[in-house]
Amino acid sequence: MKHSALWLMTIACTISIGSLYYNQPMLGLISTHFQVSITDVSAVPTLTQIGYAIGMLFFLPLGDRLDRRKLIVWLSGCNAIALLCAALSPGFYWLIAASFMIGLTAVVPQLLIPFAAQLADSEQRGRIVGTVMSGLLVGIVLGRVAGGFFGGEFGWQSTFLIAAGLMVGLGIVLVKQLPSTLPAKTEISYLELLRSLPVLFAEHSTLRKRSIAGAMFFAAYSGFWAILPFLLERPPFEFQSEMIGLFGLVGIMSAGASPLLGKMTDRTNPRVMLRIAIGLFLGALLVLFQFHSTLWGLIVGAILLDLGTQTGQISNKAKIYSLPIEVHNRLTTVYMVIFFTGGAIGSWLCAYGWKFSDY
């Protein structure tokens, strides 16, 4: 695989994944703007993640049948339109609907990752997946930082306007530079592709186990980030949205570790990497439970949580991409739909539980 193609895909993941996370540090601003409760405003990130899961369910299987480059460019344009609708939202329910559409069309990274895995040699697949996923994680971090900064300085609408412009620019670059790789020849119709998803889930125990593990990881991860803005707004922190967004920079460490984790996955038993991920998560939850009222406790807990998520994701995806290449997009569909469904449930449960906390 050419280095230029690898870095193009990595940067594209960085830009496109941000759409899912701009809203998180701005939830306080959105709540105040529309005069809605914390529980109500949690519908914004929850519907974004539900839209993402549904988008993966309906769009990712097309990567096994259509030209991936055209599909990626088309979805980039649709995502730009959804972001524009969010910026121009005249009411809260309009914003919820736009958030769902943002998630629905933000599946470009999940098309790029199996695309990169397909172009990679088998002995380098973990490293390639890890590199592209590092771009995805950097995008998550920068999305939160950008949301906090631009939301605090210029209003939350400005973040979505700028993001829409970025997606238009990304689509133009990708249509010119993304390598063209024809999908595997198949006579399977689109409906048959969708019907094959539960069959693949039933046939491959690896897919079942890794999907459930990923969903549990992401439920904890999403729940933490869903309530963090409200925790940081309260004493003893009393942070503004700019500082809340900057808190996302703690994820840079796990982004930098992503290629290394990919190499470890290539050389290590995947079960060992999964156990490492579980250990990081348990450590994160222990630190956050005991020291959530201190800034250092939140930072250490967030770093461990990010590292655990990244370790689990790279290990899980490298493992499922060892399955037949002609079904990679559908394998990604099953895995990521379950993964983000777990995230949506985690976001909602933690926001709901916030009402009963001491804060």
Side-chain angles (χ1 to χ4, degrees):
M1 182 179 184
K2 294 181 180 180
H3 286 291
S4 58
L6 174 60
W7 286 110
L8 174 63
M9 291 180 174
T10 303
I11 294 170
C13 280
T14 299
I15 295 173
S16 55
I17 196 63
S19 300
L20 293 178
Y21 297 97
Y22 295 129
N23 58 45
Q24 288 186 352
M26 301 190 298
L27 292 178
L29 295 173
I30 294 170
S31 175
T32 301
H33 180 88
F34 290 112
Q35 294 296 299
V36 296
S37 69
I38 291 174
T39 303
D40 289 339
V41 82
S42 69
V44 173
T46 299
L47 266 292
T48 304
Q49 291 174 350
I50 290 174
Y52 195 61
I54 294 174
M56 287 185 289
L57 177 62
F58 287 105
F59 292 132
L60 293 197
L62 289 172
D64 289 334
R65 183 175 175 83
L66 303 178
D67 183 342
R68 286 177 178 171
R69 179 173 64 178
K70 291 181 180 179
L71 183 59
I72 287 168
V73 171
W74 181 80
L75 285 170
S76 297
C78 291
N79 189 245
I81 294 172
L83 288 163
L84 182 62
C85 289
L88 302 177
S89 297
F92 181 64
Y93 291 106
W94 180 281
L95 178 61
I96 289 177
S99 297
F100 176 80
M101 295 305 297
I102 288 170
L104 189 72
T105 57
V107 299
V108 168
Q110 303 309 328
L111 288 164
L112 287 168
I113 292 171
F115 198 173
Q118 178 184 352
L119 297 175
D121 297 329
S122 58
E123 64 272 12
Q124 295 181 324
R125 187 167 291 127
R127 181 182 64 84
I128 295 296
V129 170
T131 300
V132 177
M133 285 191 63
S134 70
L136 185 146
L137 192 59
V138 168
I140 294 173
V141 172
L142 294 182
R144 293 189 180 116
V145 173
F149 175 77
F150 289 107
E153 291 293 325
F154 308 109
W156 59 268
Q157 297 94 333
S158 67
T159 303
F160 292 118
L161 283 173
I162 294 169
L166 283 173
M167 290 306 298
V168 171
L170 178 64
I172 293 171
V173 173
L174 291 178
V175 76
K176 294 180 178 180
Q177 301 295 330
L178 198 64
S180 181
T181 301
L182 295 176
K185 291 183 178 181
T186 179
E187 300 300 324
I188 301 176
S189 69
Y190 177 61
L191 290 178
E192 288 172 332
L193 284 173
L194 293 180
R195 284 197 291 264
S196 72
L197 298 178
V199 175
L200 290 172
F201 184 77
E203 285 181 349
H204 299 289
S205 62
T206 295
L207 180 61
R208 293 195 301 273
K209 293 175 183 177
R210 295 295 178 143
S211 298
I212 293 170
M216 295 176 68
F217 287 160
F218 201 51
Y221 178 84
S222 296
F224 169 75
W225 285 101
I227 64 171
L228 182 65
F230 305 110
L231 178 62
L232 293 177
E233 284 180 342
R234 307 288 180 87
F237 307 109
E238 298 183 330
F239 288 167
Q240 300 299 314
S241 64
E242 295 92 335
M243 287 297 297
I244 294 173
L246 287 174
F247 198 89
L249 288 173
V250 299
I252 288 291
M253 177 177 291
S254 52
S258 188
L260 175 61
L261 293 171
K263 291 180 180 178
M264 289 175 62
T265 303
D266 286 332
R267 301 172 183 175
T268 308
N269 187 315
R271 291 185 179 181
V272 174
M273 296 301 295
L274 188 59
R275 288 169 183 166
I276 292 173
I278 292 171
L280 289 167
F281 257 86
L282 291 176
L285 294 176
L286 180 62
V287 170
L288 291 171
F289 180 77
Q290 292 290 335
F291 305 105
H292 62 272
S293 60
T294 66
L295 185 59
W296 73 265
L298 290 176
I299 291 174
V300 172
I303 290 173
L304 291 174
L305 208 59
D306 280 354
L307 284 172
T309 301
Q310 190 73 342
T311 302
Q313 271 285 74
I314 293 172
S315 174
N316 289 343
K317 288 198 170 184
K319 185 67 175 177
I320 65 173
Y321 290 152
S322 66
L323 297 172
I325 192 170
E326 63 270 14
V327 294
H328 272 190
N329 271 81
R330 279 171 282 168
L331 294 173
T332 303
T333 300
V334 174
Y335 176 80
M336 293 306 298
V337 166
I338 295 173
F339 182 81
F340 268 85
T341 298
I345 293 171
S347 294
W348 181 82
L349 285 177
C350 287
Y352 183 78
W354 179 261
K355 296 193 304 183
F356 305 102
S357 71
D358 293 336
Y359 289 89

